[in-house]
Amino acid sequence: MKHTAIKDALQAKKFDEEITICGWVRTRRDSKKFSFMELNDGTCFASIQVIADSEIDSYKNVLNASTGSSVKVIGLLKESPGKGQKVEVHAQKVEIFGVADSDYPLQKKRHSREFLRTIAHLRTRTNTFGAVFRVRHAASFAVNKFFNERGFYYLHTPIITASDCEGAGQMFRVSTLDAINPPLNEKKEVDYTKDFFAEETSLTVSGQLEAELFASALSKVYTFGPTFRAENSNTARHLAEFWMIEPEMAFCDLAGNMDLAEEFIRYVIKYVLENCEEDMQFFNKWVEKGIIQSLEDLCKSDFERMTYTDAIKVLEKANKSFDFPVKWGIDIQTEHERYLTEEYHKKPVFITDYPRDIKAFYMRVNDDEKTVAAMDLLVPRLGEIIGGSQREERLDVLKKNMAKHDLDEETYSWYMDIRRYGTTPHAGFGLGFERLIMYLTGIENIRDVVPFPRTPGSAKF
Amino acid sequence: MKHTAIKDALQAKKFDEEITICGWVRTRRDSKKFSFMELNDGTCFASIQVIADSEIDSYKNVLNASTGSSVKVIGLLKESPGKGQKVEVHAQKVEIFGVADSDYPLQKKRHSREFLRTIAHLRTRTNTFGAVFRVRHAASFAVNKFFNERGFYYLHTPIITASDCEGAGQMFRVSTLDAINPPLNEKKEVDYTKDFFAEETSLTVSGQLEAELFASALSKVYTFGPTFRAENSNTARHLAEFWMIEPEMAFCDLAGNMDLAEEFIRYVIKYVLENCEEDMQFFNKWVEKGIIQSLEDLCKSDFERMTYTDAIKVLEKANKSFDFPVKWGIDIQTEHERYLTEEYHKKPVFITDYPRDIKAFYMRVNDDEKTVAAMDLLVPRLGEIIGGSQREERLDVLKKNMAKHDLDEETYSWYMDIRRYGTTPHAGFGLGFERLIMYLTGIENIRDVVPFPRTPGSAKF
């Protein structure tokens, strides 16, 4: 079924040649002698205008092509006299693949995002969601391109896991045991030795620990895959299933880690601005006014670096009433993050060297023994976008941290082995891909940047 | 920690300049006046030779650098007088990041792949597994590059699902209900309305159905992500968790689908041959003799296309005793596949138009009503590598097929909607990424081409 993508047709330079295009009817209006159809195939933001003369043999097909119907048009590509469009197609023949039933929910009017979420199988045909998923694609490709160009190897870490990266966080159980009457052991607990993997397994919350193993062999690796949290959080910022990006580098400290994070963010933003111009213009006009300028500014800014201790001092002195009171030792909240990046520094800022007690067991303990070599990158409009650290490479210190966090040495023996056999300073960071897409598009609800969101009470499609 | 990747050091053209390299000691031998270390950092197959004069201050570090230890070497890059290596480093200073304990399992000797599987956290430091995972990276990048260049949008289909793509296949249950005493409903069944997603959910076996939804909006999409089978198959060809690639195209028929599959396979092979030369030379010499020639041949072959019905005739006439007897209606087995591609055609072959009864409900029924517009691509050495079909786009026919397969219309209403609202001819295929890596490397056990294999009884690391 040879045909030309509408994206290519719209960029054509040669006119008056025969062309075949396929797509879905966005709108149609008929005059006495002509019918005008806007045809969209999702290959780009814009639709193409098709003009059908009522004299053509297949004009009855044109009249049947209701909004949402899929059609094939053979015609001549013409330079358009109309404003705002350079190209149109003068139809010679129109075929219908399938009409849209009259209850097609995407009739020409504005729909709320809440409503569109209930028809996630159709919403990609709208301007907003077509643009979101083209940007999501471009950002995905930029992620892989960035790391490939820098000698990082892509690592597919396991989804099903018997360990728990953070020593915390609620997880989804994965099992094939009988759901009503699972086998029990002598202690009347579920006997997971009879389960598929012969032990209790869950969905991963992070690929970091495995990435550390591979960095200890290939030097630089990254993961880019789904991760899971079984938290009952029904907010605009949480999903039960989301994609994470986690680079990990051997022979690297916290400063090198921040250098990479900075370069990474700039790279992905530039790639999307250059490759999704039309989609980004749409977000700029209809979703978040000024977003293009804000992203361009970020690419040009110097990124600030300040310690947590200094950040707390700044927050304490701020002439501002925060919902969460500030003192050394607290978790920095979104309101604090946004003050630091939007009002105080007015640019992106890395906060480093957080209190040991509020951070994970694998972070490298600083010489003060109170803080760890962690970093979070805060950006205007969003707050934290990246979190990372140098990892604890000293076996004795790691063991103490694990004991503090009640982690079982046997379960993590493989993780500790890396510290036994040629341990190296190493570092990495993680970022949630959906939060990056929210940042790039201005879309405010995380459910609207993922094809089929998984949230408490919803696993539809 | 600025340093030069060994990959870059080995390609250097400027000599007698200071260089810093980091890596793990593969071997070391000491003479009276010098020590020779092979240092590998995983950035490429080759190690670099470091020569340390016993006169340097840090020579005691050199003598402590046992196999597996991680070191930093500052020295001068020199053109090597030795055979087979162009570059060496004359050490001025050697630091140890971490020694390897004396029980380091990767001492200089051959290890069986079975043994290495038990230390999957360390095996990537060996020649074989370093090469496997660099090839896996290159093939991953080639997949994304191929589709990006052709206007396909990358789609992240959900891992947690309430539906079951094939209407068959064993699945892993995903739940947060109490494992011993789950809530029961009036019928004494598990009350999944109380579970996290308010219904019963599993790990996906395929992203195809969701890809069809997105192709019905963006025209061309592909998935590349993890999929799951809870089959108790302990074979060299099965994993419980593996990565799949599934492109899907609107306005496309079976012929266009085969064109894409052919182009895809050639592209990935060429990319890997061009970008992993040294790794492929290793496989060619030590793992599967002649594999490079065999892959180059495949890139040059015309791919044959024959119907299932013709394939059965050929198999019936074959002067060959098969374990599985041949007659129209059977599933073609690996032995049949290999005969057709290796002996009969001596090149890759697409088998098309399989009997309806042995194929999935979503495949498009041919006019004969006995066969469906399916295709499998068979290649020498492996058998089936790709399976695909044109999808049933006619709502009435689809409904009949679903009834035949005992599929509930309500569960799949979203899938059927696509046929109600501007249905289009569309097609796609799937391939298991690990099988592709086996094909590219000659590695015979699927557990050896995935970082941390998930198989019955094993979810380690």
Side-chain angles (χ1 to χ4, degrees), chain A residues 41 43 70 153 159 219 241 423, chain B residues 43 70 153 159 219 241 423:
Chain A
D41 69 356
T43 57
S70 55
Y153 293 111
I159 303 301
S219 284
E241 175 178 327
T423 192
Chain B
T43 58
S70 55
Y153 293 111
I159 303 302
S219 285
E241 175 179 328
T423 192

Side-chain angles (χ1 to χ4, degrees), chain A residues 1 3 22-24 41-43 68-70 97-101 103-105 121-122 124-125 130 133-134 136-137 140-141 144-145 148 152-162 171-180 182 184 188-190 192 196-199 201 203 210 213-219 224 226 228 230-232 240-241 243 250-253 271 414 417-418 420-425 433 451-452 454-459 461, chain B residues 1 3 22-24 41-43 68-70 97-101 103-105 121-122 124-125 130 133-134 136-137 140-141 144-145 148 152-162 171-180 182 184 188-190 192 196-199 201 203 210 213-219 224 226 228 230-232 240-241 243 250-253 271 414 417-418 420-425 433 451-452 454-459 461:
Chain A
M1 296 193 174
H3 65 281
C22 298
W24 293 271
D41 69 356
T43 57
S69 300
S70 55
F97 291 121
V99 294
D101 284 5
D103 60 347
Y104 183 58
H121 59 312
L122 297 171
T124 309
R125 293 190 192 177
F133 293 116
R134 282 185 297 269
R136 190 175 166 116
H137 162 79
S140 299
F141 191 70
N144 287 311
K145 193 165 181 294
N148 183 63
F152 283 72
Y153 293 111
Y154 187 14
L155 167 64
H156 296 132
T157 47
I159 303 301
I160 299 171
T161 177
M171 296 173 82
F172 290 102
R173 189 174 63 251
V174 173
S175 176
T176 57
L177 291 179
D178 188 277
I180 301 189
L184 302 181
K188 301 284 177 200
E189 300 158 344
V190 174
Y192 285 111
F196 190 92
F197 295 108
E199 61 184 319
T201 53
L203 294 179
E210 288 90 354
L213 307 181
F214 262 59
S216 300
L218 300 178
S219 284
F224 182 22
F228 305 84
E231 277 160 38
N232 200 1
E241 175 178 327
W243 280 58
F251 316 113
C252 181
D253 57 17
Y271 185 91
W414 44 272
D417 272 356
I418 297 302
R420 280 188 192 104
Y421 304 126
T423 192
T424 66
F433 186 58
F452 302 101
R454 267 62 182 123
T455 52
S458 174
F461 310 107
Chain B
M1 299 192 173
H3 64 281
C22 298
W24 292 269
D41 68 357
T43 58
S69 301
S70 55
F97 291 119
V99 295
D101 284 4
D103 59 348
Y104 183 58
H121 59 312
L122 297 170
T124 309
R125 294 189 191 177
F133 294 115
R134 282 186 297 270
R136 189 174 166 117
H137 163 79
S140 297
F141 191 70
N144 287 311
K145 193 165 183 290
N148 183 63
F152 283 72
Y153 293 111
Y154 186 14
L155 167 64
H156 296 131
T157 47
I159 303 302
I160 298 171
T161 178
M171 296 174 82
F172 291 102
R173 189 173 62 250
V174 173
S175 176
T176 58
L177 291 178
D178 188 278
I180 301 189
L184 302 181
K188 303 282 177 202
E189 300 158 343
V190 174
Y192 285 110
F196 190 92
F197 295 108
E199 60 183 319
T201 53
L203 294 179
E210 288 90 354
L213 306 181
F214 262 60
S216 301
L218 300 178
S219 285
F224 181 23
F228 304 84
E231 277 160 38
N232 200 1
E241 175 179 328
W243 280 59
F251 315 115
C252 181
D253 57 17
Y271 185 92
W414 44 272
D417 271 357
I418 296 302
R420 281 189 192 103
Y421 303 127
T423 192
T424 67
F433 186 58
F452 302 101
R454 267 65 185 121
T455 52
S458 174
F461 310 107

Side-chain angles (χ1 to χ4, degrees), chain A residues 34 76-77 177 179 202 204 230 233 271 273 302 346 386 396 413 424 426:
Chain A
F34 296 99
L76 292 180
L77 194 69
L177 291 179
S202 314
T204 187
S233 304
Y271 185 91
L273 288 174
D302 293 320
K346 296 193 172 63
I386 283 180
D396 53 335
S413 63
T424 66
H426 62 289

Side-chain angles (χ1 to χ4, degrees), chain A residues 240-445:
Chain A
E241 175 178 327
F242 56 97
W243 280 58
M244 281 246 282
I245 299 155
E246 296 176 290
E248 189 75 31
M249 294 165 283
F251 316 113
C252 181
D253 57 17
L254 193 66
N257 203 19
M258 288 190 276
D259 292 343
L260 184 80
E262 191 171 331
E263 203 185 346
F264 172 79
I265 285 290
R266 284 192 220 273
Y267 185 97
V268 175
I269 292 174
K270 273 189 196 161
Y271 185 91
V272 167
L273 288 174
E274 282 166 17
N275 287 273
C276 303
E277 214 182 312
E278 230 181 346
D279 294 317
M280 289 306 298
Q281 291 292 353
F282 172 81
F283 293 123
N284 200 52
K285 190 164 178 191
W286 297 105
V287 175
E288 168 94 26
K289 285 211 188 342
I291 191 170
I292 291 179
Q293 188 63 51
S294 130
L295 292 169
E296 284 172 350
D297 288 350
L298 186 124
C299 288
K300 279 181 243 151
S301 324
D302 293 320
F303 285 33
E304 200 66 39
R305 298 181 185 194
M306 88 189 299
T307 64
Y308 169 93
T309 303
D310 287 343
I312 292 293
K313 283 180 193 156
V314 165
L315 290 169
E316 281 173 337
K317 282 187 202 146
N319 188 13
K320 189 115 190 170
S321 72
F322 294 116
D323 293 341
F324 292 87
V326 174
K327 69 169 187 181
W328 200 96
I330 63 156
D331 243 337
I332 295 184
Q333 303 293 326
T334 304
E335 55 174 345
H336 309 137
E337 292 172 353
R338 296 193 63 164
Y339 173 78
L340 290 168
T341 181
E342 289 170 8
E343 298 185 44
Y344 186 78
H345 287 296
K346 296 193 172 63
K347 56 183 166 178
V349 52
F350 285 103
I351 308 293
T352 66
D353 303 293
Y354 283 76
R356 183 178 185 174
D357 290 341
I358 59 171
K359 289 290 185 181
F361 78 94
Y362 50 71
M363 295 190 180
R364 192 178 196 278
V365 179
N366 288 326
D367 290 344
D368 63 15
E369 301 219 343
K370 281 187 212 152
T371 60
V372 286
M375 63 90 166
D376 281 355
L377 173 60
L378 318 180
V379 292
R381 281 201 291 122
L382 191 75
E384 187 204 323
I385 192 164
I386 283 180
S389 71
Q390 190 172 336
R391 319 306 188 185
E392 186 53 76
E393 88 279 16
R394 297 161 296 187
L395 185 60
D396 53 335
V397 185
L398 180 67
K399 278 188 177 178
K400 279 184 209 153
N401 283 348
M402 288 177 62
K404 251 190 167 175
H405 284 82
D406 274 330
L407 294 178
D408 174 39
E409 289 198 8
E410 205 183 316
T411 310
Y412 292 90
S413 63
W414 44 272
Y415 186 67
M416 294 157 73
D417 272 356
I418 297 302
R419 279 79 182 166
R420 280 188 192 104
Y421 304 126
T423 192
T424 66
H426 62 289
F429 62 81
L431 81 161
F433 186 58
E434 282 74 14
R435 297 206 69 202
L436 179 61
I437 304 301
M438 291 166 79
Y439 184 67
L440 288 167
T441 59
I443 296 281
E444 287 185 331
N445 194 312

